[in-house]
Amino acid sequence: MEEQQTPFQAAIKPGLTMGLVALAITYIAYFIDSSLLASLWLALIGLVVFFGLIIYFGKQYRAELGGFMSFGTAFNFSFVAMIISGIISLIGQILLFHVIDPSLPGVLTDIAFQKSLEMMEGFGQNPDSLPPATLDEIRNSTAASFSIGGQLKNFGIGLIIYAIIALILAAILKKRDKSLDY
């Protein structure tokens, strides 16, 4: 009889796959046009691919378990896979921003800053009416998010988001054996 993997063991391969897919999307976008990395569309495409992959791998794991999976097992599987994927993405982005193209954070900071100003205008706020110190603060906080410390901080915040997403995915992936109710 084949021994079943724990959710932690089962999440390693999907986590690695999702992390490498996320890196591939990031690097392809970078090579096409680095400004795509600041695009909302790229983020949405990545999110759809991410959700699709974790649901696909989760259903595969559920089938491995005999077609049923508890909420806790589904949560553990999803959360661990996302953490592994996040670590791979973090390493790849640190390499991209600090080794491959150290000027990229400055380019992305400028794009994000401009988008922030455009968003302010869209909400009726005139960016020219803001004090220069406030504009500098917005630019500096945007630039700080691309530093290694900023990326680690964003990953820490991402862990909370991963937990919330894992709860949603666990609700989708769980399936209980109703034959045990009798």
Side-chain angles (χ1 to χ4, degrees):
M1 185 171 155
E2 188 178 316
E3 197 169 312
Q4 292 179 343
Q5 294 180 325
T6 68
F8 302 103
Q9 293 168 330
I12 293 172
K13 185 177 176 186
L16 290 171
T17 302
M18 291 182 336
L20 292 175
V21 167
L23 274 184
I25 290 171
T26 300
Y27 279 83
I28 289 170
Y30 168 72
F31 289 122
I32 291 172
D33 180 7
S34 62
S35 67
L36 288 174
L37 295 175
S39 165
L40 180 62
W41 288 107
L42 182 68
L44 290 175
I45 289 169
L47 192 62
V48 168
V49 169
F50 187 74
F51 265 99
L53 285 174
I54 194 73
I55 289 171
Y56 172 76
F57 288 124
K59 286 185 175 184
Q60 271 189 335
Y61 180 55
R62 183 176 69 196
E64 236 180 72
L65 295 175
F68 303 103
M69 184 164 44
S70 71
F71 181 85
T73 300
F75 173 80
N76 288 337
F77 171 81
S78 300
F79 189 56
V80 170
M82 285 188 282
I83 289 173
I84 292 169
S85 172
I87 290 170
I88 291 171
S89 294
L90 175 67
I91 292 168
Q93 288 178 4
I94 287 173
L95 286 173
L96 179 61
F97 294 152
H98 301 284
V99 177
I100 296 170
D101 189 353
S103 67
L104 184 60
V107 171
L108 295 178
T109 296
D110 292 340
I111 293 170
F113 181 70
Q114 280 305 114
K115 287 185 178 192
S116 296
L117 296 180
E118 290 169 10
M119 189 181 301
M120 284 180 189
E121 288 174 349
F123 287 120
Q125 172 72 39
N126 183 0
D128 294 332
S129 68
L130 292 174
T134 303
L135 293 173
D136 288 341
E137 177 61 32
I138 293 170
R139 181 180 286 282
N140 291 339
S141 67
T142 303
S145 68
F146 293 108
S147 69
I148 292 177
Q151 288 179 303
L152 291 172
K153 178 181 163 190
N154 289 342
F155 180 72
I157 293 167
L159 290 176
I160 296 167
I161 295 168
Y162 291 162
I164 293 167
I165 293 171
L167 288 170
I168 295 167
L169 290 169
I172 293 170
L173 293 171
K174 74 173 172 66
K175 186 174 182 182
R176 65 184 181 96
D177 187 356
K178 294 179 182 173
S179 69
L180 299 176
D181 291 346
Y182 301 109

